[in-house]
């Protein structure tokens, strides 16, 4: 690369990544080698909300919310009602939130979110019944090989029955595949696998279907989006799992692709992603984008530059996935940068607030909002 091409961008404070201008309007980010077009026009036609743009294509748009943030912030409530057609509790339906003791359930906070969704005519979705994380403190001492099935069945039955007929969809099992763990069929080493063996997955779907025959039952998974070797192996293992469940007549209806994208890292390979989506669709499954956000942890500090790069990633990703008609819903993991798990999960080393979501911290739409709106406007109708 010539010295002129290595012209250092006039953006201060690089947090881990090296950004180099390769042309007047193009920024190259190391180590991902991704080139971002900084002059891209994210023009949007009309004023309508993401919810309406999605609905015009037969799609559902929404986001995850924590009860405390939503209950205490009228502005967040107004943005939520305007933009979202579906709401998912960020933590309130997880084991550690619902199960203060082995024999008690506390639905206060999840009920609040369900009521908010209902009042504002939004769909409600559940996350998640079976996961290896966010288990209560007592779980380790109490649950074992002998009683694990009883706990699993009782939990799924009680929780799904509570919202039966009112749930659009349930992430029944979350993140069950981790090929790096070296278990059979790429399964993750989790307490459920350890206590019940591989059949815990099928059992979970059967119990959920019995308790709420109306809800769409989803298998939700992370790290499926990028083209790297690890992701390729994971996609293959997930497809095999879905094939097996379908071939055994398990009541499973959709795959949830979390879509926690990372600006400086993974490369998207549209061809590989499309073929994965079409393989899933050909099993007769729908697809939901369940937890979309774009980490800007390692991007240059200039917020305007970050916002452009993040928006470009949103539009590139959504334009690929929305081409697949089995994709029926897109949810962000949070709506505004004011409340995002990434501020603690992947904070920036320069201390600047992260900007991964469609609205800024004062609830103003950012370029990421435009990018999502454009992707919906360009998507084929379902
Ligand atoms: C995250 C929440 O956003 C955080 O508030 C919590 O501390 C940890 O969990 N994949 C998932 C979600 O399936 O449940 C996670 O949510 C984010 C990653």
């Amino acid at each position: 690369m010539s010295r002129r091409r290595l012209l250092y961008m006039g953006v201060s404070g690089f947090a881990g990544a090296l950004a180099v201008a390769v042309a007047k309007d193009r920024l190259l980010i190391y180590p991902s080698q991704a080139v971002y077009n900084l002059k891209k026009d994210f023009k949007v036609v009309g004023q309508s909300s993401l919810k309406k743009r999605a609905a015009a294509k037969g799609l559902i748009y929404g986001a995850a919310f924590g009860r405390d943030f939503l209950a205490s912030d009228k502005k967040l409530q107004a943005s939520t009602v305007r933009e979202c057609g579906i709401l998912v509790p960020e933590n309130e339906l997880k084991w550690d939130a619902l199960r203060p003791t082995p024999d008690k359930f506390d639905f206060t906070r999840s009920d609040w979110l369900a009521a908010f969704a209902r009042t504002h005519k939004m769909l409600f979705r559940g996350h998640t019944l079976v996961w290896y994380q966010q288990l209560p403190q007592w779980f380790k001492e109490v649950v074992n090989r002998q009683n694990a099935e009883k706990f699993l069945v009782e939990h799924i039955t009680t929780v799904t029955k509570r919202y039966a007929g009112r749930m659009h969809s349930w992430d029944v099992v979350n993140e069950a595949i981790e090929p790096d763990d070296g278990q059979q069929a790429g399964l993750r080493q989790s307490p459920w696998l350890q206590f019940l063996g591989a059949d815990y997955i099928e059992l979970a779907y059967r119990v959920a279907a019995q308790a709420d025959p109306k809800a769409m039952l989803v298998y939700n998974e992370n790290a499926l989006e990028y083209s790297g070797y690890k992701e390729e192996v994971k996609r293959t293992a997930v497809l095999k799992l879905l094939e097996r469940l379908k071939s055994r007549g398990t009541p499973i209806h959709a795959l949830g692709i979390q879509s926690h994208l990372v600006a400086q890292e993974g490369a998207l390979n549209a061809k590989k992603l499309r073929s994965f989506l079409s393989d899933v669709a050909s099993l007769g499954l729908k697809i939901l984008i369940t937890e979309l956000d774009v980490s800007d942890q390692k991007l240059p500090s200039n917020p305007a530059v970050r916002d452009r790069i993040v928006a470009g990633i949103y539009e590139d990703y959504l334009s690929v996935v929305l081409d697949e008609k089995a994709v029926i819903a897109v949810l962000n993991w949070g709506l505004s940068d004011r409340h995002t798990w990434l501020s603690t999960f992947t904070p920036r080393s320069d201390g600047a607030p992260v900007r991964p979501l469609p609205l800024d911290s004062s609830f103003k739409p950012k370029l990421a909002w435009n990018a999502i709106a454009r992707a919906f406007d360009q998507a084929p109708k379902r």
Side-chain angles (χ1 to χ4, degrees):
M1 202 178 280
S2 76
R3 275 179 65 199
R4 199 139 47 98
R5 290 188 82 201
L6 270 169
L7 173 77
Y8 188 73
M9 278 293 284
V11 279
S12 58
F14 290 90
L18 180 61
V20 174
V22 289
K24 238 164 75 199
D25 55 355
R26 301 207 173 250
L27 188 66
L28 171 71
I29 304 279
Y30 284 107
S32 72
Q33 308 274 334
V35 177
Y36 297 103
N37 179 355
L38 294 180
K39 286 278 149 63
K40 181 165 169 164
D41 146 32
F42 289 95
K43 231 192 191 142
V44 165
V45 183
Q47 305 279 313
S48 62
S49 64
L50 295 180
K51 165 172 77 181
K52 287 195 181 136
R53 288 175 200 267
K57 298 301 171 66
L59 284 160
I60 305 166
Y61 173 76
F65 298 93
R67 185 258 170 215
D68 292 354
F69 290 138
L70 193 58
S72 63
D73 193 330
K74 292 279 176 220
K75 282 190 176 158
L76 178 61
Q77 291 183 16
S79 302
T80 305
V81 171
R82 176 186 146 82
E83 301 289 353
C84 297
I86 190 165
L87 179 157
V88 60
E90 183 171 351
N91 289 302
E92 288 73 1
L93 287 167
K94 294 172 181 173
W95 277 67
D96 63 352
L98 288 176
R99 308 291 304 267
T101 64
D103 44 18
K104 270 209 194 106
F105 287 82
D106 178 0
F107 288 105
T108 324
R109 301 158 96 72
S110 51
D111 281 356
W112 189 92
L113 287 164
F116 183 90
R118 199 182 176 89
T119 305
H120 299 288
K121 302 192 167 51
M122 297 159 74
L123 299 170
F124 190 52
R125 76 180 303 270
H127 173 85
T128 174
L129 297 165
V130 188
W131 195 24
Y132 73 103
Q133 282 193 38
Q134 292 185 264
L135 293 166
Q137 292 284 347
W138 53 260
F139 190 92
K140 256 201 182 105
E141 281 90 68
V142 175
V143 182
N144 54 44
R145 217 174 273 275
Q146 282 70 47
N147 63 19
E149 182 166 335
K150 176 187 95 53
F151 269 101
L152 187 77
V153 170
E154 181 200 40
H155 182 86
I156 296 177
T157 308
T158 309
V159 179
T160 43
K161 274 213 165 125
R162 177 137 193 128
Y163 301 104
R166 297 189 277 148
M167 248 331 158
H168 167 268
S169 49
W170 261 113
D171 289 340
V172 178
V173 177
N174 192 33
E175 300 178 356
I177 296 286
E178 180 44 90
D180 280 356
D181 283 359
Q183 303 296 307
Q184 52 172 312
L187 289 173
R188 181 186 292 279
Q189 179 58 283
S190 76
W192 302 115
L193 181 68
Q194 189 193 339
F195 296 147
L196 300 173
D199 289 344
Y200 82 87
I201 300 177
E202 186 173 337
L203 174 69
Y205 285 89
R206 293 199 184 279
V207 174
Q210 214 170 26
D212 184 356
K214 288 217 174 113
M216 177 184 291
L217 303 184
V218 182
Y219 173 69
N220 197 47
E221 188 54 271
N222 67 11
L224 295 172
E225 303 80 15
Y226 288 121
S227 65
Y229 175 72
K230 264 182 91 133
E231 288 89 347
E232 187 71 48
V233 171
K234 191 160 192 178
R235 281 194 291 272
T236 306
V238 165
L239 260 182
K240 288 216 171 106
L241 170 68
L242 297 175
E243 269 164 24
R244 184 178 146 80
L245 290 172
K246 284 298 284 183
S247 74
R248 295 177 54 84
T250 314
I252 177 168
H253 312 118
L255 171 68
I257 301 181
Q258 291 188 7
S259 311
H260 292 293
L261 306 181
V262 183
Q264 82 288 6
E265 274 176 17
L268 268 188
N269 179 320
K271 208 171 144 216
K272 281 188 185 172
L273 188 54
R274 277 180 216 280
S275 96
F276 174 68
L277 298 173
S278 112
D279 287 347
V280 173
S282 65
L283 291 173
L285 295 169
K286 299 290 183 201
I287 299 166
L288 293 82
I289 304 303
T290 49
E291 305 184 12
L292 181 58
D293 52 20
V294 180
S295 168
D296 64 341
Q297 183 188 38
K298 294 201 174 133
L299 290 179
S301 64
N302 182 328
V305 171
R306 275 193 270 154
D307 284 0
R308 287 200 163 268
I309 294 174
V310 165
I313 292 170
Y314 267 107
E315 192 166 335
D316 289 350
Y317 181 68
L318 285 177
S319 61
V320 173
V321 298
L322 293 177
D323 257 355
E324 169 56 64
K325 289 198 182 173
V327 176
I328 55 157
V330 175
L331 288 99
N332 273 116
W333 204 243
L335 183 63
S336 134
D337 293 339
R338 181 176 287 246
H339 309 291
T340 160
W341 75 303
L342 294 178
S343 54
T344 47
F345 189 71
T346 56
R348 293 175 54 82
S349 63
D350 63 6
V354 295
R355 303 176 65 85
L357 290 168
L359 305 184
D360 73 10
S361 57
S362 0
F363 310 105
K364 269 205 357 252
K366 301 187 312 186
L367 289 182
W369 185 98
N370 291 38
I372 300 170
R374 284 162 58 92
F376 287 157
D377 292 351
Q378 281 151 27
K381 233 179 158 158
R382 270 64 191 148

